[in-house]
């Protein structure tokens, strides 16, 4: 189990993270979300032991994760970390990069393992390609494969699919997270993409300025977003009579007390997101058709 106990950290005087505590069970997937600059990457680096904490302790099972002041070589065998800026070897092939830390003692097993990993990150066709000729997204996939190659007990992923195009992202995401679940590898992933969280994460930690805004299952946080910050992660919403209402929870009706004037319709695929003005406040709702600017509508909320 990963235990984070009352940790505080700042690069300079002001704290980036102030008195955080949480736990992650073995084999669980925890998503860390929060606005850019909220400290997601910093938190992952602290979990990896890259910096010394100002206060607090981090444990993986009974082992304390220590920073550079107490640990000569950063990192631990049971843990892998894929940074936002991944460092790979440019002049060797994709398969050599992936197998970099695998033992040469059993060459057949090593080759099998590399094939399996190439399959997970969908790079089989590029096995012999020199790394430096790959795109940013392909490199990111090599970094992922290399990190899971030795089956760590826990893996820390920082925006793991940020360089990967939408065509590849969906299947790759499913492959990687399924692989980690199947092998019972604890996974902590910092992301701003709700697709990395919904249907994948067991728990979700929402960071605000210096602390934890919420820590719960994605389902509970989605159904009961207690703050606008939490709701904003999941989609468009309005605040009506102090309640957070998602756009899909508002429908157009013949008559109601909630009246609004259409400002703009945004094409979203199978629906339009309609932005409207209700008594000087913005209201967002979904509708199957584009609505004319200036149209007066009556709205109904169904939660
Ligand atoms: P996120 O990953 O959520 O975008 P970061 O952890 O990268 O956030 O950054 C959190 C805060 O710490 C930001 O204000 C950022 O400017 C600051 N910061 C990040 N890295 C460093 C660093 N190496 N030195 C000084 N400040 C940093
Ligand atoms: Mg970051």
């Amino acid at each position: 189990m990963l235990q984070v106990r009352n940790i505080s950290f700042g690069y300079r005087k002001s704290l980036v993270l102030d008195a955080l505590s949480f736990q992650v069970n073995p084999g669980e997937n925890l998503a860390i979300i929060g606005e850019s600059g909220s400290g997601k990457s910093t938190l992952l680096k602290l979990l990896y032991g890259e910096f010394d904490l100002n206060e607090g302790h981090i444990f993986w099972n009974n082992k304390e994760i220590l920073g550079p002041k107490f640990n000569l070589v950063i990192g631990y065998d049971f843990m892998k970390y894929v940074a936002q800026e991944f460092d790979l070897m440019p002049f060797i092939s994709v398969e050599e990069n992936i197998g970099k830390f695998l033992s040469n003692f059993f060459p057949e097993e090593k080759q099998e393992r590399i094939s399996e990993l190439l399959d997970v990150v969908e790079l089989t066709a590029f096995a012999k390609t020199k790394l430096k000729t790959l795109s940013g997204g392909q490199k990111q996939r090599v970094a992922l494969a290399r990190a899971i190659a030795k089956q760590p007990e826990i893996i820390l992923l920082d925006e793991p699919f940020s360089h990967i195009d939408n065509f590849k992202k969906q299947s790759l995401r499913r492959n990687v997270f399924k692989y980690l679940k199947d092998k019972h590898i604890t996974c902590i992933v910092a992301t701003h993409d709700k697709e990395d969280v919904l249907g994948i994460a067991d728990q979700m930690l929402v960071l605000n300025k210096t602390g934890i805004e919420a820590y719960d299952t994605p389902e509970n946080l989605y159904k009961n977003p207690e703050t606008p910050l939490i709701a904003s992660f999941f989609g468009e919403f309005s605040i009506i009579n102090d309640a957070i209402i998602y756009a899909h929870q508002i429908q157009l009706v013949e008559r109601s007390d909630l009246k609004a004037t259409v400002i703009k319709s945004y094409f979203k695929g199978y629906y339009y997101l309609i932005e409207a003005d209700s008594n000087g406040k913005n209201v967002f709702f979904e509708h199957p058709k584009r609505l004319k600017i200036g149209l007066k509508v009556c709205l109904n909320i169904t939660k």
Side-chain angles (χ1 to χ4, degrees), residues 35-42 44-45 84-85 158-159 190 192:
E35 290 174 326
S36 171
S38 59
K40 301 182 294 296
S41 297
T42 303
L44 288 189
K45 286 175 184 170
Q84 251 173 315
E85 330 74 37
D158 200 347
E159 316 253 1
H192 55 249

Side-chain angles (χ1 to χ4, degrees), residues 49-288:
E50 198 163 314
F51 303 121
D52 294 302
L53 299 167
N54 293 19
E55 262 179 75
H57 300 273
I58 301 167
F59 287 92
W60 173 248
N61 299 328
N62 297 321
K63 183 132 186 76
E64 178 154 18
I65 311 276
L66 297 169
K69 219 186 257 174
F70 306 95
N71 194 16
L72 200 58
V73 183
I74 292 173
Y76 295 87
D77 278 349
F78 53 82
M79 185 182 259
K80 278 278 174 274
Y81 164 58
V82 184
Q84 251 173 315
E85 330 74 37
F86 25 88
D87 69 302
L88 297 161
M89 320 278 284
F91 299 109
I92 60 175
S93 72
V94 166
E95 61 178 7
E96 285 167 317
N97 264 284
I98 293 176
K100 185 88 186 32
F101 303 117
L102 291 177
S103 155
N104 288 316
F105 206 71
F106 303 103
E108 273 176 29
E109 276 85 345
K110 177 171 176 173
Q111 202 48 52
E112 257 173 46
R113 188 96 187 89
I114 292 173
S115 306
E116 183 191 14
L117 293 163
L118 283 167
D119 200 40
V120 170
V121 296
E122 301 177 14
L123 282 177
T124 307
F126 294 87
K128 309 275 181 224
T129 308
K130 285 253 184 318
L131 191 98
K132 68 175 170 71
T133 65
L134 298 185
S135 73
Q138 288 167 331
K139 285 181 190 151
Q140 189 165 34
R141 282 144 65 190
V142 176
L144 272 168
R146 192 182 62 175
I148 55 183
K150 274 184 91 178
Q151 295 213 17
E153 293 171 29
I154 174 166
I155 190 166
L156 312 171
L157 303 174
D158 200 347
E159 316 253 1
F161 309 110
S162 57
H163 296 265
I164 293 160
D165 58 68
N166 278 328
F167 301 103
K168 266 266 168 287
K169 213 183 268 189
Q170 316 289 352
S171 69
L172 185 71
R173 176 161 33 218
R174 280 194 301 270
N175 284 357
V176 170
F177 287 125
K178 181 174 184 308
Y179 178 92
L180 296 174
K181 264 279 165 219
D182 288 351
K183 309 272 178 189
H184 206 67
I185 298 170
T186 307
C187 171
I188 303 188
V189 47
T191 183
H192 55 249
D193 187 346
K194 65 174 186 282
E195 300 287 329
D196 289 342
V197 179
L198 296 178
I200 290 165
D202 299 300
Q203 298 284 326
M204 182 172 147
L205 181 127
V206 186
L207 288 180
N208 55 28
K209 248 182 158 351
T210 58
I212 297 176
E213 178 101 351
Y215 185 75
D216 204 339
T217 63
E219 199 166 339
N220 284 343
L221 292 179
Y222 174 77
K223 286 183 179 159
N224 277 309
E226 281 181 0
T227 64
L229 179 68
I230 300 169
S232 65
F233 180 71
F234 295 112
E236 295 289 350
F237 65 94
S238 322
I239 297 182
I240 300 171
N241 298 331
D242 291 330
I244 291 170
I245 314 288
Y246 290 117
H248 72 269
Q249 295 173 320
I250 302 180
Q251 298 82 33
L252 227 155
V253 287
E254 287 272 301
R255 225 163 280 146
S256 81
D257 291 337
L258 183 57
K259 299 185 186 349
T261 308
V262 172
I263 298 172
K264 196 166 166 45
S265 302
Y266 299 89
F267 175 65
K268 290 283 178 183
Y270 66 90
Y271 68 94
Y272 286 82
L273 177 72
I274 316 288
E275 182 181 0
D277 174 277
S278 178
N279 272 329
K281 278 175 135 185
N282 268 21
V283 173
F284 290 94
F285 62 97
E286 294 180 2
H287 193 67

Side-chain angles (χ1 to χ4, degrees), residues 4-38:
V4 174
R5 296 190 196 150
N6 202 33
I7 63 166
S8 296
F9 175 81
Y11 291 95
R12 290 180 209 90
K13 270 218 174 111
S14 65
L15 291 180
V16 174
L17 300 167
D18 190 4
L20 264 68
S21 297
F22 61 92
Q23 296 185 351
V24 188
N25 290 318
E28 251 181 16
N29 178 309
L30 170 72
I32 297 175
I33 68 145
E35 290 174 326
S36 171
S38 59

